[in-house]
Amino acid sequence: MKPGMICVVVGAALAMGGALVGSGCGDNSAACSGATCVRNPALTDRVSVTRDSLGIAHITAKNVHDLGFVQGYITAHDRLPQMDILRRNASGTLAEIFGAVSPSIVTADMEIRMHRMRHYAEQSWTQMQASSDPVDVQLVEMLRGYALGVNAYAAHLVAGKFELDIEVQVSFDPTRFAAWNEIDSLTLGRYQAYSLSGSLADELAYTDIALAAVETYLGADVGDTYAYERRGIVKDLLRLTPVGQRSTLEAVGKPARASEPKAAARSPYTRAQAASLRAAVRNARSAINPAHVDRGLGNLEPRLYQRPNAGSNTWAVAPAHASGSALLIGDQHLALPNPSVFYPVHLTVPGVLDGYGITFPGIPGIILGHNGKTAWSSTTAYHDVMDVFAETIEPCPDTGDCVQHNEALVPIEARTESFGIGVLGTVSETVTATYETVPHHGPIIPTFEDGRVVPRSSNTALSVQYTGHEPTFEIRAIWRLLQSGTVQAGLAALDDFSFGGQNWVLIDTAGSIGWTMKAKVPRRKLGAFTWDPDSNQAGVAPFMVLPGDGSADWDGYIPDAVMPQALNPDSGLIVTANADPVGATFDNDLLNDGDVDGLPWFLGADYAIGLRQERIADVLDASVAAGAVDLADMASLQHDTRSGTGAKFVPAILAACEAVDGLSDAAALCDLFSTWDFSTPTATGAASATELRHAAATSAFNAWAHFFVERLIADEYAQLGLATWTMGTSHAVRLVDGVLNAPASMWPGDAAPAVCGDGVTNNGSDPCGDRIREALADAAAWLASEDGFGSSDTAQWAWGKQHLWRMAPLFPNSALLLPPADDPNYPGGVPRGGDHDVVNRADAGWNDLDFRQLADGSAQRFMAEAKVGGAIKAYLQLPTGTVYNRASPFYRVLLDVAYIPQVHQAVPFTPAEVAQAAAEHWSFSK
């Protein structure tokens, strides 16, 4: 492609751009006066771009192809290094630039290639190009234009027309940037859906726990007191009952029960098979590269965009509750690297589309936002769309290996892929990996040794079946949604959103609100439903590894007609926060919720713990009862940091404090908890005595929680040969809730759950109270120690001293930390309120005593107000800014305030609003 020409006029554009270089255009037309001018023969007409004071580009083109070109060019100008990292991460080629520095990146590439995202993206692209559907025709033009625009910018960058941040250049060499193509964008889309829907690590972990508990305790002899007392404890270690129990729409029912799905109360495996399976699970768990957990400290590994704690909040309020306007509020909880995972943009082709919102850099169009008539946001649905099957392998009659399936032998297929290992694209080594696939299930999880795939050494292997292992067209759904004029049309557009699964919440200017969670969710055969937490703990469930013999296979998908969805519910409210949508898990039995055509109706198991959903729903109910709500109320709720875990668990702690005398070593904690209102202020600046008490109580509670969980499960996990904290903090919260608030639901079903035993005896008549008090003493000692706050004075226990947040760089360079390490205002990071699963997500975790915020949180905050018969106003907050260059005024413009624009200042949308907010102009032509 011929690069064309770029001309930069020194003036406003240079001053605002901060990274542009060049001189005279040789074009004195009015269109280029005071603007950055770009010419390229791939364009068919003039395209104008206005960047507003927030750095958001408002792009107006006369056709979709040119719109795509300019969106690609501008996005690349702002985020090209990030785009390259993202496509490499999705395509499994990250090791070409980091593999020689971090061998774990090679393993990550090998794992991601197992899912063949690029392969299925190529198939989707082929089908889209062959389609005559007008939507597909537009998308093909948009994708082609986008790729041309990215490459045009990359050529200008290499030619010296622009400059990268010098610190970014350390890890990104634009001369080695491979040309962008349409497959890159589609692969990125698949990767983002995968990162929000893959449950592979969870299914392996659940199975590891289940097998360990069943092998260790089930059938224990009465003479073995410890094991006998714990013979049913697996129900507690796999407790999935949410702590907050407000479903999205409580009036939405579940299908009627037509038959009993649970098979005979027996394990589907012999003891020998179970032992072999457990070994395979352990191997697979070591093979699966976990999402990188980072607290924003800039350690030298690239920031990957997949987090196990990913989630979101989104809710809608009908006009009847909001003075004649429908309200939509959303914030997506994803990784928080620098730069932001999201990119905001406004796209206009008169008569075709006009929309503002966010997308992932590298994916054209708009994923979440509004078009002046409708607005939409989403949260992860946590559908169970991935299963792991235990395959029994034996030699085929002729040659090679086969798996047993439906009483027949099926040959395993194989393919080989190559991986480059290098630094910044200079490949110094090439290795190969052979992948095996079970035709009717999916890829076999490889065996790794020293970062390389090695041949299997067992007759048991694990395969993965996933709804994303086929061509899909989520981008078509998003494109149709962008052009939808009503909630009803938007809901219909989402029929094409087939893999993964999201809760989509929509509003429109006609006064409607709606919700859908359409996606392909597999129907499983009865053999996938033999587990019962009370009567058959040796069985299996879809969230565990399933038998590969055919008894637990998929049998089509759950029909849309029985997928939870709603339009204009009577309550006038829709709330989604990754929780169980209809309360199917509230009774701790995940497999008793109706049939569809004779097979169980099952959507998922491992939802969020429900505290955010409960808090949002409770506050909305109270606000609506008190009168009409407005955007200021919603902004306040979006930033809410009340401790739901504290509210749930402190009453039991106080009861334990009162049960015995002599708690002098923990008296200060009991005193703090007695007056805690569950607010979580940082109290690091000027703070009142009351704020200091609440901040100290927050610190004390989270320290207590860590030690209490340690006291509960350290002995259990050790007995089972498991690593502590296998399931993470959310799992621990469910366990604590059962112990403190529902002991009769725990094993053995009385007031003294066996899990409270200390590993030898139950320690008298109040074992759980004993554990609470011991954890109070542990916490008091730690808080006063040098590792804690260095003082027994509770006034020194400000939560904001420990609960700090800093955004880690995309590239391994501490100079790109945000806030910078030398920022005098934030020497240790930004103090944050909140603790685990608060509305304004700020998880620190209870796994250890490092209470800095994990590297995830609100990757954007969005509010939309749709006045009935009028227009939509939108409001935005985005971590960092739009431009990944420290010299740009748009580098961190959206980082430092609670809401930009403020509630009374909408993001510019109409031509007049955009013109008034203009900070920079670009002009594109052929």
Side-chain angles (χ1 to χ4, degrees), residues 47-121:
V47 181
S48 65
V49 180
T50 298
R51 200 190 289 272
D52 64 27
S53 58
L54 304 178
I56 299 170
H58 302 258
I59 305 170
T60 301
K62 294 182 181 178
N63 59 69
V64 169
H65 173 273
D66 288 357
L67 181 74
F69 180 98
V70 175
Q71 185 183 9
Y73 192 102
I74 292 291
T75 307
H77 169 272
D78 295 351
R79 303 283 189 89
L80 185 67
Q82 178 189 26
M83 293 167 64
D84 191 44
I85 286 288
L86 286 173
R87 71 165 165 180
R88 288 181 176 278
N89 204 30
S91 301
T93 60
L94 199 59
E96 293 177 5
I97 57 173
F98 290 121
V101 177
S102 176
S104 66
I105 298 300
V106 183
T107 305
D109 276 356
M110 290 180 173
E111 182 208 337
I112 210 69
R113 293 254 203 116
M114 176 180 73
H115 295 290
R116 307 190 74 185
M117 294 184 193
R118 194 168 190 89
H119 168 76
Y120 294 115

Side-chain angles (χ1 to χ4, degrees), residues 321-402:
H321 300 318
S323 302
S325 293
L327 305 181
L328 177 68
I329 293 84
D331 53 294
Q332 283 62 47
H333 305 157
L334 298 172
L336 295 177
N338 177 26
S340 168
V341 67
F342 285 129
Y343 183 79
V345 70
H346 181 187
L347 305 175
T348 303
V349 176
V352 178
L353 61 89
D354 186 13
Y356 156 77
I358 56 167
T359 185
F360 294 101
I363 302 177
I366 290 168
I367 294 175
L368 304 176
H370 80 94
N371 60 18
K373 296 179 180 178
T374 62
W376 59 96
S377 187
S378 72
T379 67
T380 302
Y382 287 121
H383 292 323
D384 190 342
V385 296
M386 177 182 287
D387 280 342
V388 182
F389 291 93
E391 308 287 356
T392 300
I393 300 173
E394 61 181 80
C396 296
D398 298 324
T399 184
D401 285 339
C402 286

Side-chain angles (χ1 to χ4, degrees), residues 460-669:
T460 300
L462 303 181
S463 65
V464 181
Q465 189 167 10
Y466 178 42
T467 57
H469 289 162
E470 63 182 23
T472 58
F473 302 94
E474 284 66 36
I475 195 169
R476 181 191 295 156
I478 299 301
W479 190 255
R480 292 176 61 206
L481 184 57
L482 179 58
Q483 297 174 309
S484 299
T486 65
V487 165
Q488 292 91 328
L491 295 173
L494 290 164
D495 287 345
D496 281 317
F497 202 92
S498 59
F499 98 87
Q502 296 283 302
N503 290 288
W504 295 93
V505 182
L506 298 84
I507 64 173
D508 64 25
T509 54
S512 287
I513 65 174
W515 164 62
T516 186
M517 54 191 319
K518 293 178 182 176
K520 284 186 175 181
V521 179
R523 293 193 320 160
R524 282 93 171 176
K525 293 182 179 179
L526 295 181
F529 296 91
T530 62
W531 183 74
D532 185 284
D534 295 306
S535 65
N536 188 22
Q537 297 182 9
V540 296
F543 49 88
M544 303 176 188
V545 175
L546 298 173
D549 59 8
S551 64
D553 279 5
W554 293 5
D555 187 1
Y557 299 99
I558 293 178
D560 283 349
V562 293
M563 292 293 287
Q565 50 196 309
L567 177 66
N568 296 321
D570 292 341
S571 67
L573 299 171
I574 296 173
V575 179
T576 75
N578 317 117
D580 184 338
V582 295
T585 61
F586 290 1
D587 61 357
N588 202 34
D589 189 339
L590 311 176
L591 312 178
N592 64 348
D593 295 301
D595 293 345
V596 178
D597 298 331
L599 291 178
W601 181 84
F602 173 82
L603 298 181
D606 196 9
Y607 298 104
I609 58 177
L611 291 175
R612 286 177 289 117
Q613 177 108 1
E614 184 176 75
R615 175 64 173 168
I616 294 166
D618 287 351
V619 170
L620 285 176
D621 285 348
S623 299
V624 166
V629 301
D630 59 21
L631 284 178
D633 299 324
M634 298 300 93
S636 177
L637 178 54
Q638 197 173 50
H639 288 80
D640 184 88
T641 56
R642 179 180 184 268
S643 175
T645 49
K648 294 287 184 183
F649 302 151
V650 159
I653 298 175
L654 291 174
C657 288
E658 296 172 358
V660 296
D661 296 325
L663 276 177
S664 57
D665 53 351
L669 276 68

Side-chain angles (χ1 to χ4, degrees), residues 849-870:
L849 292 163
D850 182 347
F851 291 120
R852 288 170 292 185
Q853 181 176 337
L854 296 172
D856 58 349
S858 293
Q860 77 140 356
R861 293 189 182 92
F862 172 79
M863 297 195 301
E865 180 178 29
K867 187 168 184 61
V868 175

Side-chain angles (χ1 to χ4, degrees), residues 278-351:
R278 190 176 182 191
V281 168
R282 294 290 178 87
N283 170 72
R285 292 190 71 188
S286 66
I288 298 304
N289 189 39
H292 184 76
V293 176
D294 175 73
R295 297 174 186 269
L297 305 180
N299 52 348
L300 297 183
E301 288 189 17
R303 302 281 71 75
L304 306 185
Y305 287 78
Q306 183 182 346
R307 290 285 295 120
N309 290 327
S312 306
N313 306 317
T314 290
W315 65 92
V317 181
H321 300 318
S323 302
S325 293
L327 305 181
L328 177 68
I329 293 84
D331 53 294
Q332 283 62 47
H333 305 157
L334 298 172
L336 295 177
N338 177 26
S340 168
V341 67
F342 285 129
Y343 183 79
V345 70
H346 181 187
L347 305 175
T348 303
V349 176

Side-chain angles (χ1 to χ4, degrees), residues 113-366:
R113 293 254 203 116
M114 176 180 73
H115 295 290
R116 307 190 74 185
M117 294 184 193
R118 194 168 190 89
H119 168 76
Y120 294 115
E122 289 169 349
Q123 292 187 353
S124 298
W125 175 237
T126 297
Q127 292 183 36
M128 289 171 63
Q129 291 180 95
S131 173
S132 60
D133 184 295
V135 170
D136 287 343
V137 171
Q138 287 182 341
L139 278 170
V140 167
E141 286 298 300
M142 185 75 175
L143 286 160
R144 285 174 173 163
Y146 191 89
L148 290 171
V150 172
N151 294 329
Y153 169 76
H156 289 156
L157 178 63
V158 171
K161 303 299 184 181
F162 297 92
E163 289 180 350
L164 293 175
D165 187 319
I166 191 171
E167 296 295 347
V168 174
Q169 292 180 54
V170 172
S171 300
F172 178 75
D173 182 353
T175 66
R176 290 186 171 95
F177 177 81
W180 193 271
N181 61 45
E182 300 85 357
I183 307 301
D184 293 325
S185 294
L186 295 175
T187 303
L188 274 180
R190 301 189 70 83
Y191 178 78
Q192 295 299 345
Y194 164 78
S195 70
L196 298 174
S197 64
S199 58
L200 180 55
D202 288 339
E203 295 191 6
L204 295 172
Y206 286 139
T207 302
D208 201 2
I209 291 174
L211 290 172
V214 168
E215 287 185 8
T216 305
Y217 296 138
L218 198 65
D221 186 87
V222 67
D224 185 350
T225 303
Y226 183 87
Y228 187 74
E229 288 177 346
R230 285 158 174 75
R231 65 192 183 279
I233 205 171
V234 66
K235 67 176 290 186
D236 302 337
L237 299 180
L238 293 183
R239 185 178 179 87
L240 293 171
T241 308
V243 181
Q245 298 198 356
R246 293 291 303 270
S247 53
T248 297
L249 284 180
E250 294 166 2
V252 173
K254 295 169 285 190
R257 165 62 63 215
S259 63
E260 177 58 45
K262 294 169 187 173
R266 62 179 180 81
S267 171
Y269 312 108
T270 66
R271 182 168 291 276
Q273 288 173 328
S276 179
L277 174 58
R278 190 176 182 191
V281 168
R282 294 290 178 87
N283 170 72
R285 292 190 71 188
S286 66
I288 298 304
N289 189 39
H292 184 76
V293 176
D294 175 73
R295 297 174 186 269
L297 305 180
N299 52 348
L300 297 183
E301 288 189 17
R303 302 281 71 75
L304 306 185
Y305 287 78
Q306 183 182 346
R307 290 285 295 120
N309 290 327
S312 306
N313 306 317
T314 290
W315 65 92
V317 181
H321 300 318
S323 302
S325 293
L327 305 181
L328 177 68
I329 293 84
D331 53 294
Q332 283 62 47
H333 305 157
L334 298 172
L336 295 177
N338 177 26
S340 168
V341 67
F342 285 129
Y343 183 79
V345 70
H346 181 187
L347 305 175
T348 303
V349 176
V352 178
L353 61 89
D354 186 13
Y356 156 77
I358 56 167
T359 185
F360 294 101
I363 302 177
I366 290 168

